[in-house]
Every structure is written in C-alpha cells, then in structure tokens.
Amino acid sequence: MHKELNVKEKLFMLGCCTDDRCIICDWEVETQTHLFFDCPYSKQVLQLLEKWCGFNIHVSMLGGLQPAKDCLKQQVHYLLWNALYYHIWAQRNAARIQFVLLRPQKLAGMIKEEIQFWFDLF
Ligand SMILES: [Zn+2]
C-alpha cells in the first residue's frame, strides 16, 4: 500500500532480475499499479468479486480507511479490498516461486469464502 513491495520494476532496476515483465500476465512492466489495478488477472478477480457483492470495489479503500462499524457495505468493501490485495500479492509470489497460479474464478471463490467466514464469526 505504500509502494514498498518488491515488484519486478524495482527488482530489475536494482539488477536483481533479468526483466521487468509482470510475472502473472507477462504483458506489461510489473509495477504495483499494474499488478493490483491493471493486470488482466487482477481485473478479472475484481470483476468476479464485484459481481458477487453487487457493488464496485473502489481503490479509495486503499488508503487504510476504517469502515463504519454500523455499515455492512463498508465493512464488506473494506474486507474485500484487503483480501484482494493480499491474495493478488500471494498469487504473484506463488507464480514467481512455485510456478503456479490459481484461476481467477478459484481465487475469487476463496476470497468470498473468507469474507463469509469472517462475518460468520461475528
Ligand atoms: Zn500483469
């Protein structure tokens, strides 16, 4: 969230990798913006989650805003955005280290289950 992730653009500039292409799509330079907002994989997961929850998941939640405790939509929005951010980064790292990548439908399903589980707890 603070542009401190070691995306390939940064690693390439430091001489730590041989190219700066996105590990997931291999189409664009892997910047933090590309990975979380512009990568076709991330966009597809986001679209699936938006279809599920029935509203747009806005980037404005990235600033770490806390949702109002009495607003279910804000809480879902907040949880979805944070889960999406975490899981896209985890998938990116799995693709880089283990050469595996979940299908967008599978990842969206996992995130939905996590959100539902969280609400079942409270
Ligand atoms: Zn990409």
Side-chain angles (χ1 to χ4, degrees):
M1 290 185 184
H2 301 287
K3 303 274 184 191
E4 294 181 7
L5 294 174
N6 285 324
V7 290
K8 283 185 71 181
E9 177 189 45
K10 185 189 288 185
L11 296 172
F12 182 67
M13 284 191 299
L14 295 171
C16 297
C17 57
T18 57
D19 68 82
D20 58 3
R21 312 307 292 175
C22 174
I23 291 169
I24 293 176
C25 71
D26 199 32
W27 290 347
E28 300 285 338
V29 172
E30 187 190 75
T31 62
Q32 214 166 302
T33 300
H34 170 78
L35 188 61
F36 295 106
F37 307 112
D38 299 329
C39 185
Y41 180 82
S42 304
K43 282 184 170 181
Q44 191 172 357
V45 175
L46 179 65
Q47 287 171 351
L48 289 165
L49 291 171
E50 287 178 335
K51 186 176 179 183
W52 171 67
C53 72
F55 54 84
N56 292 330
I57 301 170
H58 297 286
V59 178
S60 61
M61 293 305 285
L62 253 181
L65 300 173
Q66 292 293 320
K69 291 187 187 302
D70 59 347
C71 183
L72 180 62
K73 184 178 176 182
Q74 280 186 16
Q75 291 177 10
V76 171
H77 192 178
Y78 182 80
L79 290 171
L80 277 171
W81 185 245
N82 283 287
L84 182 68
Y85 204 80
Y86 170 83
H87 282 288
I88 292 294
W89 183 246
Q91 285 303 302
R92 178 261 188 205
N93 289 331
R96 181 169 189 227
I97 297 166
Q98 301 166 320
F99 307 106
V100 293
L101 183 67
L102 293 178
R103 289 179 300 110
Q105 295 82 359
K106 176 75 174 171
L107 181 58
M110 284 174 47
I111 292 172
K112 286 189 280 187
E113 285 179 13
E114 287 179 9
I115 301 301
Q116 289 169 331
F117 178 76
W118 192 87
F119 278 102
D120 286 346
L121 289 178
F122 297 97

